[in-house]
Amino acid sequence: MKQNRTSCRAQGFTLLEMMIAVAIFSVVVAMATSSFSRATHTTAASAACSNMHQNMRHAVDLMTQDLHAAKRVIAAHDEYFFGVVIERPGGDEYVYYLAHNDHLYRFTMHGGEVLAENIDHLEVELRSLSGDVVAAATEAYMVRVRLEAEATARGRTYTDDVETLIRLRNKRV
């Protein structure tokens, strides 16, 4: 009979062995879950930051196109607004950019659209041919546009900025 018990024991696991295996498995699963959660948070934050930068880049590209085509620049009264006048075959078209309530808007006579969200700052500088900042839009040969944005994703705050310097088409050297 003794021999039968030993052979039965050799074929199975004891309760202690099972408990140790379950404990080790639980620790491994907890570590894997923690790593997966961190990876998910990092991916979400990275996607939010990438989306923010893509929207700002698109907005600056539209501003660049409008400024290249501009007949004249309408001076900004504060740092959240500027406009351009574009000469079109049917008449002049006015295009305005406004940063308000964390959004960047573009308005034309056909309507308005939101170009980007989380915009904290729209900065427009009018520059002379030598690169000095000028106050009057009529004296400007170049326009420097800078957007700054801030987004919060998964408890972290990310800031980004996009800047460009555009030479005005209507100015001849």
Side-chain angles (χ1 to χ4, degrees):
M1 218 21 138
K2 228 178 195 185
Q3 190 177 23
N4 201 5
R5 271 192 199 162
T6 308
S7 63
C8 285
R9 196 175 244 185
Q11 293 176 0
F13 298 104
T14 65
L15 180 60
L16 182 62
E17 291 170 333
M18 289 297 287
M19 288 174 59
I20 291 171
V22 167
I24 291 171
F25 180 73
S26 298
V27 169
V28 169
V29 167
M31 289 181 355
T33 303
S34 174
S35 295
F36 181 73
S37 176
R38 268 194 310 267
T40 303
H41 287 135
T42 302
T43 301
S46 176
C49 189
S50 175
N51 189 33
M52 177 179 65
H53 184 79
Q54 183 179 5
N55 288 341
M56 286 191 343
R57 185 76 253 161
H58 172 70
V60 168
D61 288 344
L62 272 175
M63 288 179 199
T64 302
Q65 288 173 9
D66 288 341
L67 283 164
H68 274 299
K71 180 167 102 175
R72 76 176 186 269
V73 176
I74 301 169
H77 297 289
D78 58 28
E79 59 188 29
Y80 299 103
F81 169 82
F82 81 97
V84 296
V85 180
I86 301 173
E87 193 172 6
R88 302 275 191 220
D92 291 347
E93 179 181 0
Y94 291 80
V95 179
Y96 299 100
Y97 289 91
L98 172 68
H100 183 66
N101 288 340
D102 294 335
H103 289 74
L104 178 66
Y105 299 95
R106 180 179 185 261
F107 296 101
T108 65
M109 61 185 161
H110 304 293
E113 63 180 317
V114 176
L115 293 180
E117 295 178 356
N118 303 317
I119 299 297
D120 290 332
H121 192 69
L122 166 64
E123 183 179 332
V124 179
E125 283 182 350
L126 304 171
R127 296 187 176 219
S128 67
L129 188 58
S130 62
D132 299 328
V133 177
V134 295
T138 55
E139 299 173 15
Y141 278 82
M142 294 178 281
V143 178
R144 180 182 155 268
V145 178
R146 182 174 177 270
L147 283 178
E148 188 176 303
E150 187 175 281
T152 303
R154 302 287 188 186
R156 289 185 172 172
T157 301
Y158 298 91
T159 58
D160 197 359
D161 63 279
V162 178
E163 182 176 336
T164 188
L165 184 64
I166 303 116
R167 185 174 181 282
L168 296 174
R169 173 181 68 102
N170 61 332
K171 297 291 184 168
R172 303 288 182 243
V173 180

